[in-house]
Amino acid sequence: MLSDRFGRIHDYLRISVTDRCNLRCLYCMPEEGMEFADSSELLSYDAIVEVVEAAAELGFRRLRITGGEPLVRPDLDGLIRRLKAIEGIEEISLTTNGMLLAKQAAALRQAGLDRVNISLDTLDASRFRLIARRGGLEQVMAGIRAAGEAGLGPIKLNCVLLKGINEDEIKSFLRLSLDQPLHVRFIEYMPIGHADEQWRKTYLPLTSVMEAARELGLPMSPLERLEGNGPSENWTFDGAAGSFGLIHPVSDRFCTSCNRLRLTADGNLQPCLYWVDELNVKPALGSREAIKELFLRAGAIKPENHEMAAKLHDESISHTPTARRMSQIGG
Ligand code: SAM
Ligand code: SF4
């Protein structure tokens, strides 16, 4: 078991398989000028399997594959099949923008993928172009349908709320959960690795979600928070097929229950998504013990919490934030 200095048990590894993406969401990547890792710098699938074998020996049970956009990396189903076969790995999920999911959902399910989170910030095609800086709403919708048909549920929809951009769609997203088994997760825009000014202009605390839910006038109930099941606070409208949840990393720190480490596509273990510290796994490849040692070190240097909220109040922070963009971390 990997327990850190604060007694948090880590059993969840988020693995980014690429920093490339077929969209350019404005909260994640710049429109132009992004420098991508050369394919030779990415961890090979063999290397990822080796790292996960070591992690599984330390008690890691759940994996999430992310990116960049993970479905742009060829043969992802092959990787998932290999990871699922590792002793101790119980669940594999995927975070995707859904653009390529319609084509791949069935193969991913067959390979052993358990479920997907699909990112969707708007239900309006022209607004999709504004946020993602590319078209593709129809493709994403087809991806959501295909994921349902392939049995990749419960399907979560990740919706980053942006002030003045999609806040008027909260009720439409809430209604999605009424008659479809979709679990909408509203997420606060995090100030990770890029222009503060844009974040300050568009960050929206999630209080408006509960206001919108109440305005719908439908009876609703809180869902029990499941241990190890992520930082979201979940609700359902009575009798609804799906649910909605709030993830507020900025306004309400969720670090006390953090159970995850992150592995970047270029092979760095990140103890916390906010801070600069990371450990390169490449020199440890070839030795199970050396990889395990790195995981233990990642646990040992993991900070108690991030300090994203400091930016809301213009307070100073205690350490150096990462310069990585979210697309280079994986969310
Ligand atoms: N491309 C995939 C996708 O969009 O689902 C996976 C990678 S993406 C970096 C993972 C998640 O991070 C997405 O749900 C995305 O909305 C979220 N994300 C990216 N930048 C963010 C930010 N600055 N604040 C909050 N969430 C962010
Ligand atoms: Fe790509 Fe996902 Fe970042 Fe959007 S959030 S630019 S889809 S990596």
Side-chain angles (χ1 to χ4, degrees):
M1 283 290 193
L2 194 159
S3 170
D4 71 3
R5 289 175 294 158
F6 309 98
R8 296 172 293 196
I9 305 289
H10 288 64
D11 65 354
Y12 176 33
L13 183 63
R14 296 177 66 106
I15 302 170
S16 171
V17 293
T18 179
D19 58 348
R20 288 174 194 259
C21 188
N22 43 4
L23 298 179
R24 289 287 181 279
C25 303
L26 51 86
Y27 47 74
C28 180
M29 270 202 211
E31 187 161 16
E32 281 168 12
M34 186 78 194
E35 286 185 14
F36 298 104
D38 188 80
S39 56
S40 63
E41 295 170 57
L42 299 186
L43 283 189
S44 66
Y45 285 170
D46 285 346
I48 293 174
V49 167
E50 197 184 327
V51 172
V52 171
E53 283 170 349
E57 286 186 9
L58 287 169
F60 281 74
R61 296 289 168 259
R62 296 188 300 134
L63 307 176
R64 176 170 296 276
I65 308 298
T66 178
E69 173 46 41
L71 298 186
V72 303
R73 185 150 172 189
D75 305 322
L76 192 72
D77 55 325
L79 174 68
I80 287 173
R81 184 168 283 109
R82 292 174 68 186
L83 296 176
K84 198 64 187 283
I86 294 171
E87 197 181 328
I89 296 304
E90 291 167 3
E91 186 193 77
I92 305 185
S93 55
L94 172 82
T95 300
T96 172
N97 62 27
M99 295 281 288
L100 302 173
L101 194 53
K103 273 197 195 128
Q104 299 190 34
L108 291 165
R109 177 72 188 131
Q110 262 195 346
L113 183 68
D114 291 289
R115 54 192 182 82
V116 287
N117 284 24
I118 300 169
S119 301
L120 183 63
D121 307 315
T122 177
L123 302 169
D124 176 90
S126 60
R127 203 174 269 181
F128 187 99
R129 270 182 191 282
L130 174 86
I131 298 174
R133 301 195 184 105
R134 304 273 194 279
L137 180 63
E138 268 316 307
Q139 270 168 267
V140 179
M141 291 312 222
I144 295 172
R145 286 192 294 275
E149 284 158 18
L152 288 170
I155 298 173
K156 292 184 186 167
L157 297 184
N158 289 359
C159 175
V160 178
L161 274 192
L162 303 163
K163 184 158 74 187
I165 298 182
N166 63 357
E167 60 188 307
D168 58 342
E169 291 191 65
I170 295 174
K171 284 185 188 153
S172 309
F173 273 100
L174 289 170
R175 282 194 203 97
L176 273 187
S177 76
L178 288 174
D179 50 10
Q180 298 181 60
L182 295 174
H183 303 272
V184 182
R185 298 290 176 262
F186 296 97
I187 304 174
E188 282 177 347
Y189 179 7
M190 292 182 253
I192 300 282
H194 64 95
D196 275 7
E197 207 185 315
Q198 176 184 303
W199 176 76
R200 276 172 211 282
K201 271 199 267 175
T202 25
Y203 164 75
L204 186 71
L206 294 187
T207 39
S208 33
V209 173
M210 291 314 288
E211 278 164 29
R214 277 190 283 273
E215 280 170 21
L216 281 183
L218 302 167
M220 57 185 173
S221 324
L223 292 173
E224 202 183 328
R225 214 167 180 146
L226 293 177
E227 191 65 31
N229 219 7
S232 111
E233 174 200 326
N234 301 320
W235 293 76
T236 184
F237 292 110
D238 295 357
S243 70
F244 66 97
L246 289 71
I247 305 183
H248 17 60
V250 181
S251 65
D252 176 16
R253 268 200 304 249
F254 50 39
C255 307
T256 44
S257 60
C258 186
N259 59 353
R260 59 198 61 187
L261 292 182
R262 293 175 166 81
L263 180 64
T264 63
D266 58 356
N268 286 284
L269 261 185
Q270 249 193 316
C272 172
L273 95 167
Y274 192 60
W275 300 120
V276 70
D277 309 271
E278 47 187 48
L279 301 165
N280 186 355
V281 300
K282 286 180 186 162
L285 292 172
S287 160
R288 178 79 47 98
E289 286 315 308
I291 299 172
K292 280 160 76 171
E293 187 53 39
L294 271 188
F295 271 81
L296 295 175
R297 267 178 53 207
I301 64 169
K302 181 161 173 140
E304 187 167 14
N305 41 49
H306 65 65
E307 294 172 26
M308 287 186 222
K311 287 216 165 126
L312 288 174
H313 316 293
D314 286 322
E315 290 165 358
S316 57
I317 51 175
S318 64
H319 193 44
T320 313
T322 181
R324 286 181 184 271
R325 296 273 178 166
M326 200 67 115
S327 58
Q328 297 167 313
I329 299 174

